[in-house]
Amino acid sequence: MIYFALSLLTLSGFLCLYRIGSGPTPADRMVGIDILGILVVGFCALFAVFTGRGFYLNIALAWGLLSFIGTTALAKHLEGKKFDE
Amino acid sequence: MSELAGKAIIIVGTLFNLFGCIGLIRLPDVYNRLQGATKCVTLGTCSILLGVLISSGVSPTGMKALAAIIFIAITAPTAAHALSRGAYRAGVPLWEGSVVDKYEEEGQ
Amino acid sequence: MDEQRSGSKISRGAFVFGVTLAVWLLFTWPFAPIEWPMIIAGALVAILSGVLLGEMTTRHPGRGLNPVRYFWGACYIFVLAWWVAMANLDVAFRVLHPDVPINPGIVKVKTDLKSESAKTALANSITLTPGTMTVDLSDDGHLYVHWINVSSTDVEEATHQVVGRFEPILRRIFE
């Protein structure tokens, strides 16, 4: 069961990587990075179930935070503003 | 029982994640991709975390999963909003089949 | 906007303190042996963030004490969960259909909500519900919404279809 879920998530991750690699505009690539960041949180939660160790969820939380900050920074850059505006 | 329910919810969540990523490939422009992918991946990841919460109950793992659910549900739409506005300001055009663009007509 | 503020600096700081401490206690959940050093460290950091960040947060901290708002907040979670499930089935249908049946466009809708927290919650809810995604928010209460299947370009009609689901309950929570 858990292998089925992990393989579905891996397939999703490869679809995201395809969009990051082939996106016609920079915005497409940034969308791919954003979605991949959320997918990794799901990966960490699945590993927590798989291995029975709770600390993977700490990684999930920290990864979600950093991914959000990174995405907003990329969006600001796309908009052509400084980060503190 | 809760073990089985948690696993079922996890499988449903991964399926929605996969649908979201298929949308990322098949939809035609940035805004549609962002829209479909954000909705599906947010629900999918929240379902995975909800499955972890249900199968582990009130424990450190479960509480962290709950915190992560709240966190993802707040930040994912915000990031999508920031990215779509950034893409529009950067001049990414809408798909040619789009029917209306009030944002441009109103001069922002 | 200064005249809209109803809370003093101290009460806003106290609001941040309460939220931060609650999140910290959620993270360090098992109190089986109560670990006082952990709790005290969390309280110190919460006081610091209350002092530093009180300026930047909600303008009406007193509203956080009203239990009726929490009741409507709990109802709102169920309403939102229903629409999120509908949204995902909708996206799955559109994505798996061989022709990708979409009819996208950016429409303008109007909202009567005044407080900034309510507008934020409305914009996030719109992003999670079927076929719509907020693109921008203007100063005079209009939202620009990317709609994957535009059925009306009229402002009133679009407002009824997009915003009407959430506006009444959000007004009860935040205003």
Side-chain angles (χ1 to χ4, degrees):
Chain A
M1 193 283 313
I2 204 89
Y3 290 106
F4 179 63
L6 278 174
S7 51
L8 282 185
L9 270 188
T10 314
L11 183 58
S12 315
F14 275 113
L15 293 177
C16 277
L17 282 178
Y18 171 76
R19 180 51 67 201
I20 294 173
S22 77
T25 65
D28 285 297
R29 298 170 205 267
M30 288 177 191
V31 173
I33 293 169
D34 176 31
I35 299 302
L36 196 58
I38 304 176
L39 280 182
V40 170
V41 175
F43 259 114
C44 291
L46 268 186
F47 274 128
V49 175
F50 187 47
T51 61
R53 295 183 181 181
F55 71 85
Y56 278 108
L57 279 168
N58 296 347
I59 302 174
L61 271 169
W63 189 284
L65 244 170
L66 290 176
S67 158
F68 171 64
I69 293 172
T71 307
T72 39
L74 282 175
K76 285 281 181 194
H77 174 71
L78 199 61
E79 210 171 325
K81 282 184 180 176
K82 294 277 187 291
F83 291 153
D84 54 356
E85 277 179 58
Chain B
M1 181 61 208
S2 66
E3 196 69 12
L4 193 66
K7 285 185 175 178
I9 292 177
I10 286 176
I11 291 290
V12 172
T14 49
L15 276 176
F16 275 119
N17 269 350
L18 185 64
F19 291 154
C21 289
I22 293 173
L24 199 60
I25 299 296
R26 289 197 72 194
L27 292 172
D29 75 348
V30 178
Y31 308 99
N32 291 314
R33 281 173 195 150
L34 192 54
Q35 174 162 176
T38 301
K39 280 199 240 305
C40 275
V41 171
T42 306
L43 180 79
T45 306
C46 283
S47 308
I48 294 174
L49 290 163
L50 187 67
V52 175
L53 173 62
I54 288 176
S55 59
S56 63
V58 180
S59 66
T61 311
M63 287 302 113
K64 277 170 194 142
L66 180 63
I69 289 174
I70 298 169
F71 189 75
I72 294 284
I74 293 174
T75 58
T78 314
H81 170 72
L83 267 178
S84 65
R85 199 176 72 151
Y88 202 98
R89 294 277 170 88
V92 179
L94 268 74
W95 183 48
E96 60 264 22
S98 304
V99 290
V100 61
D101 186 0
K102 283 276 173 73
Y103 197 37
E104 191 184 18
E105 288 167 15
E106 308 275 334
Q108 300 173 20
Chain C
M1 289 258 197
D2 262 350
E3 68 274 10
Q4 283 184 15
R5 300 192 172 203
S6 68
S8 68
K9 196 176 172 186
I10 292 174
S11 62
R12 270 179 280 141
F15 181 80
V16 178
F17 171 77
V19 173
T20 318
L21 192 59
V23 173
W24 173 254
L25 291 180
L26 199 63
F27 278 4
T28 58
W29 174 259
F31 303 126
I34 294 182
E35 298 181 39
W36 284 108
M38 294 283 272
I39 294 175
I40 291 170
L44 285 178
V45 176
I47 289 171
L48 192 64
S49 31
V51 170
L52 291 178
L53 303 176
E55 278 296 314
M56 298 164 60
T57 53
T58 175
R59 295 173 200 281
H60 308 279
R63 290 177 179 174
L65 296 176
N66 188 344
V68 179
R69 294 179 192 279
Y70 288 101
F71 168 72
W72 284 111
C75 295
Y76 175 66
I77 289 177
F78 289 105
V79 174
L80 187 65
W82 167 254
W83 284 114
V84 167
M86 287 295 105
N88 280 274
L89 294 176
D90 180 64
V91 170
F93 166 72
R94 285 179 202 284
V95 161
L96 297 178
H97 195 281
D99 299 335
V100 192
I102 59 173
N103 183 25
I106 295 181
V107 299
K108 185 179 178 185
V109 300
K110 184 174 170 301
T111 175
D112 296 328
L113 297 172
K114 290 289 182 293
S115 83
E116 296 189 353
S117 331
K119 280 185 190 170
T120 311
L122 179 68
N124 278 2
S125 312
I126 285 175
T127 300
L128 287 176
T129 47
T132 50
M133 178 181 72
T134 315
V135 174
D136 203 356
L137 189 65
S138 73
D139 293 330
D140 55 352
H142 286 90
L143 294 142
Y144 294 94
V145 171
H146 183 268
W147 201 350
I148 206 166
N149 187 16
V150 177
S151 60
S152 166
T153 61
D154 180 51
V155 174
E156 292 297 325
E157 182 60 28
T159 302
H160 177 68
Q161 290 193 20
V162 175
V163 178
R165 294 165 189 156
F166 299 116
E167 216 175 42
I169 194 162
L170 280 175
R171 188 174 292 121
R172 288 197 181 93
I173 297 173
F174 289 106
E175 296 194 348

